[in-house]
Amino acid sequence: MTQDELKQAVAREAIRYVVDGEIIGVGTGSTANFFIDELAKIKDRIQGAVASSEATAARLASHGIRVFDLNAVDSLAVYIDGADEIDASGAMIKGGGAALTREKIVASVARQFVCIADGSKLVEVLGSFALPVEVIPMARASVMRALSALGGQPRLRLQKGSDQPLITDNGGEILDVAGLRISDPVGLETQIDHIVGVVASGLFARRGANVCLLGTPEGVKTLRFA
Ligand code: 5RP
């Protein structure tokens, strides 16, 4: 099976976690896009969705799924999104698609986080994938120094084919921090959150996944976390 077929398989399986009559939180990225396409098939069963990025909002709307502003919603039954890495405790690295801050915000309002990922995303220790951190642009250099002091090698993410910084939906910039072997995801998330100028990190540990649907050649495996 190709990686896209594995992503499609978990996207299909995730429909089982959609609660009828509710508003669904929807993530960003290629796996989330497959999920949105599946959600479109049952769109009459839900009120609509809250999007974690402008790209996701546009894709939801293109399918005729109503997009709600998060401020108009008290709680979400479920948030469904991909990940760049996930460990055996349900802690994740996210933000490969630069949407980590809104993903974290929408996930924080959801009662359940369902991670959908192909099997390559399951790791023993987080950190081989450079950790994305969103920063306020004027704090870029000072945050880079602080992240280096934590043992990482931060690099400013650029727009594809350009020497200009990539700008997020929130007007922030992304630092991708290589060289971290994250043995204490909760502790590191808290340390990075305390750096002045950081908007959010792509470490989702304090609020990790409740369930991970993992696509493997043998079928979709369901991992549940405490
Ligand atoms: C976007 C994300 C994505 O969930 C993550 O990058 C995984 O993407 P994909 O499903 O394309 O592998 O965090 O900010």
Side-chain angles (χ1 to χ4, degrees):
M1 281 173 102
T2 65
Q3 202 177 16
D4 274 357
E5 285 168 338
L6 296 175
K7 289 179 179 185
Q8 264 166 336
V10 293
R12 272 195 300 274
E13 184 70 13
I15 292 297
R16 285 154 44 86
Y17 291 82
V18 171
V19 182
D20 285 1
E22 294 267 356
I23 301 169
I24 309 305
V26 182
T28 296
S30 57
T31 320
N33 282 345
F34 285 124
F35 172 70
I36 294 168
D37 298 344
E38 293 298 321
L39 193 62
K41 297 176 189 166
I42 59 145
K43 65 181 178 190
D44 295 337
R45 281 171 38 193
I46 58 168
Q47 285 187 59
V50 172
S52 59
S53 65
E54 299 298 336
T56 287
R59 195 175 185 99
L60 288 163
S62 76
H63 280 302
I65 298 171
R66 183 170 171 198
V67 179
F68 286 81
D69 184 313
L70 185 62
N71 289 312
V73 173
D74 291 333
S75 76
L76 297 166
V78 65
Y79 176 73
I80 298 177
D81 197 359
D84 298 301
E85 285 184 349
I86 182 163
D87 73 9
S89 74
M92 294 167 283
I93 286 183
K94 293 184 43 55
L100 56 122
T101 300
R102 293 192 189 192
E103 291 173 340
K104 210 171 238 193
I105 292 169
V106 181
S108 75
V109 175
R111 295 194 288 282
Q112 195 175 32
F113 189 133
V114 177
C115 173
I116 49 177
D118 66 86
S120 70
K121 306 290 181 65
L122 183 64
V123 298
E124 253 177 58
V125 180
L126 298 172
S128 297
F129 189 94
L131 176 67
V133 177
E134 181 165 354
V135 297
I136 299 292
M138 71 168 289
R140 178 200 315 129
S142 60
V143 173
M144 282 175 105
R145 286 193 291 276
L147 291 170
S148 299
L150 291 177
Q153 294 133 31
R155 173 179 293 200
L156 179 65
R157 193 182 299 183
L158 303 177
Q159 294 170 30
K160 276 208 176 76
S162 155
D163 59 359
Q164 293 304 303
L166 180 141
I167 304 297
T168 70
D169 288 348
N170 315 307
E173 294 176 350
I174 300 284
L175 302 177
D176 291 304
V177 190
L180 295 170
R181 195 169 186 280
I182 306 174
S183 54
D184 175 13
V186 170
L188 185 63
E189 182 179 13
T190 303
Q191 276 184 300
I192 295 176
D193 282 354
H194 284 145
I195 301 172
V196 175
V198 166
V199 180
S201 84
L203 204 41
F204 286 54
R206 287 196 304 264
R207 203 278 182 257
N210 300 98
V211 175
C212 177
L213 303 175
L214 202 66
T216 76
E218 295 78 42
V220 176
K221 291 190 179 154
T222 303
L223 313 179
R224 292 181 197 284
F225 309 102

